[in-house]
Amino acid sequence: MGFLDDAQDFLDKGVSAAKGAVSNVAVEQFGYMKAFARLCADGAQAGWHEGNGGNLSYRLTEEEVANTRSYFYTTPSSWVTMDRAFTNLAGEYFAITSAGCSMKNVALDQKRFVGIIELDSSGGAWRVVWGFKDGGQPTSELLSHLECHSVRKRVTGGVSRVVYHAHPTSVIALSKLTGPDAGRLSNELWRAMTECVLFFPEGVGAVPTSVPGSDELASQTTQAMEEFAAVVWVNHGLLSTGAGFDEVFGLESVIVKAADIICATAALVGAHTQASFALTGADIRAIAEQYHLPLRADFVEE
Ligand code: 13P
Ligand code: ZN
């Protein structure tokens, strides 16, 4: 961008940039935005984000919106109407990655690869109030993200704020064996290592192969999110949700590690042969009983 472009950008977006320059504080320096960028970098470092694979969104708290508001564009983008309204997200603000961005680059230029969008008072339209500086758009999975935020906000009483999507190799490989069967998938993961039932006693959801970015994928994900904080998209990847960035990255990591162990074990004992010393149904029940966890007992196989 040359000086004239910069100047035009400045005029287009209003004076909010000047406020940052004067106070020497930028949105990029707020805690939530630093944590947002760090998760993107950590996921890329873990090898979960080939090409433009994966995306992240975060529902800001009222305090964060208040602190960030003076940096918003004085002329936000036009409202974009969606096919459905997310009434319980009306008036909320979300930081979200841009369509086509590489997660490894997010921390290098957040104002380009991240935007803050506002939902209108009906929850049926959004507009950009910060970021996406080079004309970027929210991720192609925006609908899935909003569906997840809406459901998880409701079922967690407002606690859930982060939705993270990645393409971990071993999880996609495992999904080819389990298909869209949440019980089978949950069992395979629980049996891989003791940590799994501690992290997700309710199990992990599974959604059939669907076109990325499609309404069908979003609506099937919504149903699964009623029951599960994490959902596997068969032949595609994994979505994890939760209250904070570390919690969500932790949940994603445990699921990926379990899938890695399943793949490594399969390499040792022959593809898809049950390992002799895999955790049993009794082992899983014992862990859940010891820690008083709400185990999905009907998923547990012997
Ligand atoms: P975006 O680049 O639009 O975020 O798409 C990546 C992806 O993983 C689609 O499922
Ligand atoms: Zn994807």
Side-chain angles (χ1 to χ4, degrees):
M1 233 191 204
F3 169 77
L4 284 176
D5 292 332
D6 281 345
Q8 187 57 51
D9 189 44
F10 181 80
L11 288 172
D12 287 346
K13 303 290 169 57
V15 297
S16 59
K19 290 174 190 157
V22 169
S23 63
N24 207 23
V25 176
V27 172
E28 291 89 325
Q29 288 163 307
F30 285 123
Y32 72 87
M33 203 51 109
K34 281 188 184 171
F36 187 106
R38 183 175 156 203
L39 190 154
C40 295
D42 287 349
Q45 179 78 26
W48 302 340
H49 297 295
E50 81 293 343
N52 65 307
N55 25 70
L56 175 65
S57 64
Y58 171 69
R59 183 167 60 85
L60 275 68
T61 64
E62 277 178 26
E63 190 185 357
E64 286 160 346
V65 173
N67 291 339
T68 314
R69 193 177 288 282
S70 64
Y71 300 89
F72 288 170
Y73 298 137
T74 40
T75 313
S77 77
S78 312
W79 289 105
V80 178
T81 306
M82 297 178 281
D83 286 342
R84 61 153 294 190
F86 299 94
T87 45
N88 73 333
L89 300 179
E92 298 254 26
Y93 292 79
F94 299 85
I96 190 161
T97 49
S98 65
C101 81
S102 178
M103 296 289 265
K104 72 177 168 26
N105 291 334
V106 168
L108 304 177
D109 194 348
Q110 290 163 63
K111 199 165 182 181
R112 179 172 169 204
F113 298 121
V114 184
I116 297 176
I117 61 167
E118 173 190 9
L119 260 57
D120 73 357
S121 57
S122 73
W126 58 268
R127 64 178 179 179
V128 180
V129 297
W130 182 89
F132 293 152
K133 69 174 178 187
D134 293 336
Q137 293 287 316
T139 170
S140 57
E141 304 288 6
L142 172 66
L143 208 54
S144 277
H145 278 255
L146 292 177
E147 293 275 12
C148 292
H149 280 294
S150 176
V151 175
R152 297 308 296 176
K153 181 183 177 188
R154 173 165 49 75
V155 301
T156 65
V159 170
S160 186
R161 292 190 174 274
V162 178
V163 176
Y164 174 44
H165 167 51
H167 293 178
T169 307
S170 58
V171 173
I172 299 169
L174 178 61
S175 79
K176 292 173 188 294
L177 295 180
T178 64
D181 180 338
R184 183 154 179 224
L185 172 71
S186 302
N187 248 283
E188 293 283 351
L189 294 169
W190 285 334
R191 285 165 180 249
M193 63 175 186
T194 52
E195 209 65 12
C196 287
V197 70
L198 296 171
F199 266 76
F200 46 87
E202 77 283 7
V204 171
V207 162
T209 307
S210 303
V211 175
S214 63
D215 292 1
E216 185 195 14
L217 179 59
S219 75
Q220 287 178 320
T221 306
T222 318
Q223 287 168 32
M225 283 282 165
E226 292 281 347
E227 291 183 86
F228 309 105
V231 170
V232 168
W233 286 348
V234 172
N235 285 311
H236 182 155
L238 175 62
L239 262 129
S240 295
T241 66
F245 294 99
D246 281 352
E247 177 190 324
V248 168
F249 194 77
L251 177 58
E252 192 101 350
S253 304
V254 171
I255 295 169
V256 173
K257 183 147 197 169
D260 287 351
I261 290 168
I262 292 165
C263 291
T265 309
L268 283 177
V269 300
H272 207 225
T273 303
Q274 182 66 51
S276 315
F277 296 98
L279 292 170
T280 64
D283 293 332
I284 291 160
R285 276 194 297 276
I287 296 168
E289 273 164 32
Q290 177 76 29
Y291 290 94
H292 308 292
L293 300 171
L295 180 66
R296 263 299 286 265
D298 58 322
F299 280 1
V300 181
E301 292 170 9
E302 290 315 312

